[in-house]
Amino acid sequence: MKNVYLFLILLTHLNLQAALRADDIIDNISHYFATGNSKELSDYFSSTVSLSILEDNNTYSKNQTEILLRNFFDKNNCRGAKIIHRMDTNANNRYAVLEIFSSTQKFRVSLSLKNFNSKFLITDIRIDKIK
């Protein structure tokens, strides 16, 4: 009987962790990169974003960043993404590295997020080709 209780506690703990991860910001952002959805992705942008796409870097407004990413997604037809690395233990900053796939190319995406009034927003995006 003791083993049954331990099993139920473990199962409850795993279900709780899965529920918490379902609303994870890095998972959500990865999903929008995988589907090439710049509109939904823009909900996670800070008011200005330092954006580097294939050696073209500058700081843009939230709206400009959305347009530039939409153009990138349109040109590259993203078909999937994988989280390579994540750092989400700091109370004020998050960091993630994604690999996104198009039909002909792979890209490495580095993201920095900052806590603004208890909401993490993307402040930096860097997209490079993987050779």
Side-chain angles (χ1 to χ4, degrees):
M1 192 61 144
K2 189 176 184 179
N3 288 340
V4 172
Y5 287 123
L6 288 174
F7 175 75
L8 291 175
I9 290 171
L10 178 63
L11 186 61
T12 302
H13 177 70
L14 292 175
N15 285 337
L16 178 60
Q17 282 191 331
L20 290 174
R21 295 292 273 182
D23 195 32
D24 180 75
I25 188 167
I26 293 174
D27 289 337
N28 293 345
I29 290 169
S30 175
H31 170 74
Y32 294 132
F33 268 99
T35 57
N37 190 334
S38 62
K39 182 67 176 158
E40 294 294 329
L41 187 59
S42 70
D43 290 342
Y44 296 98
F45 295 162
S46 65
S47 59
T48 59
V49 178
S50 175
L51 178 65
S52 174
I53 299 179
L54 310 176
E55 305 299 323
D56 183 19
N57 0 315
N58 210 332
T59 300
Y60 300 99
S61 71
K62 181 177 181 171
N63 291 336
Q64 289 171 314
T65 302
E66 192 270 328
I67 291 167
L68 291 167
L69 281 175
R70 181 179 344 126
N71 291 341
F72 172 81
F73 292 144
D74 287 346
K75 288 179 187 172
N76 292 289
N77 192 20
C78 292
R79 296 177 179 223
K82 176 170 69 167
I83 299 171
I84 302 299
H85 176 73
R86 65 190 305 149
M87 185 192 79
D88 51 9
T89 56
N90 187 302
N92 294 313
N93 298 297
R94 300 279 189 265
Y95 178 76
V97 177
L98 312 174
E99 188 173 282
I100 58 175
F101 312 94
S102 75
S103 56
T104 60
Q105 184 69 47
K106 289 183 184 178
F107 299 92
R108 178 184 174 95
V109 180
S110 302
L111 303 163
S112 296
L113 296 89
K114 187 173 180 182
N115 189 342
F116 293 95
N117 299 321
S118 300
K119 182 177 180 184
F120 282 93
L121 298 174
I122 299 170
T123 57
D124 297 282
I125 302 172
R126 181 178 179 90
I127 302 174
D128 296 302
K129 283 185 181 179
I130 296 176
K131 297 177 181 175

